[in-house]
Amino acid sequence: MASYNAPFEIHVHGQVPLRADTTFEQLQEALKPLWTYAGARSLADGAHSSYEEEPGIRFDAHEHVLQMCWTVTGDEDFRQSLDEMCMSLNELSQAGAPIEVTFYDTEFDEEDAEPEAQSRDDFLVMFVGPTPAAIMQVQRDLLVQDTINMMERHFDAAELGGVVAEIDKLFTQRFDALVSSLELGKPPRGSGGSHGGAAHGGGRKPRHLH
């Protein structure tokens, strides 16, 4: 599906702890939405990134970890592939983990663009995990980290205990609501927790490289 004329370079970055019994064949099937999108016939063929300096998609069988630092050209329809991948990875994951995805607008030239023109760059974080609780835990940890990093510019870390407590309260309420819904046999929409919402940043960001 990917094309050299595609409007985006899409970078996928993350490290997902996997169950100890995960096989390469299982991981290949779980990641099929990615490597087929890239036009490959197997994970081994599609694991290479568009950029040689990026390690691509790697399975560390010894440490039981999936590592992704991989770029593909594509369009907005890649989001569907991401959703399918996350749902499959949930079943193989050992713990919750974030996956960062950057859409870089290849058709936008910052130097030649009109002053009011804006790129279509986008950035989102998706979450995978073996259970909704594991996904919520990693969402909570990431939010606490981001909040503290931002607020430490103005306050000492020791002063932020109340802020962390309020974040914990919000996630406790969300988890309790999820449990109640499951007990009633009515899972809320998105209870699988395969991904989070997109976070839009101001200004143009450089292509996401690690």
Side-chain angles (χ1 to χ4, degrees), residues 107-182:
E107 297 178 346
F108 181 80
D109 190 320
E110 197 166 21
E111 294 184 358
D112 297 337
E114 296 294 330
E116 67 277 5
Q118 294 184 344
S119 75
R120 293 174 298 164
D121 290 3
D122 197 9
F123 173 79
L124 62 149
V125 182
M126 311 185 80
F127 298 90
V128 298
T131 64
I135 290 172
M136 286 188 186
Q137 181 64 50
V138 74
Q139 288 176 323
R140 175 264 178 201
D141 292 346
L142 189 59
L143 178 58
V144 166
Q145 178 183 333
D146 289 345
T147 301
I148 289 178
N149 287 343
M150 179 181 65
M151 296 191 69
E152 277 186 335
R153 303 170 189 169
H154 311 283
F155 301 93
D156 291 333
E159 300 178 85
L160 301 178
V163 175
V164 174
E166 289 301 314
I167 292 175
D168 283 337
K169 185 185 300 183
L170 290 172
F171 276 98
T172 298
Q173 292 171 353
R174 177 177 289 183
F175 182 74
D176 289 345
L178 172 63
V179 171
S180 296
S181 298
L182 291 174

Side-chain angles (χ1 to χ4, degrees), residues 89-104:
L89 280 181
N90 285 341
E91 300 178 4
L92 301 179
S93 61
Q94 179 65 33
I99 298 175
E100 301 175 352
V101 184
T102 306
F103 286 76
Y104 186 83

Side-chain angles (χ1 to χ4, degrees), residues 76-90:
E76 290 286 351
D77 59 353
F78 185 71
R79 296 174 188 267
Q80 178 62 36
S81 296
L82 289 170
D83 285 337
E84 295 173 2
M85 176 199 70
C86 285
M87 292 302 293
S88 296
L89 280 181
N90 285 341

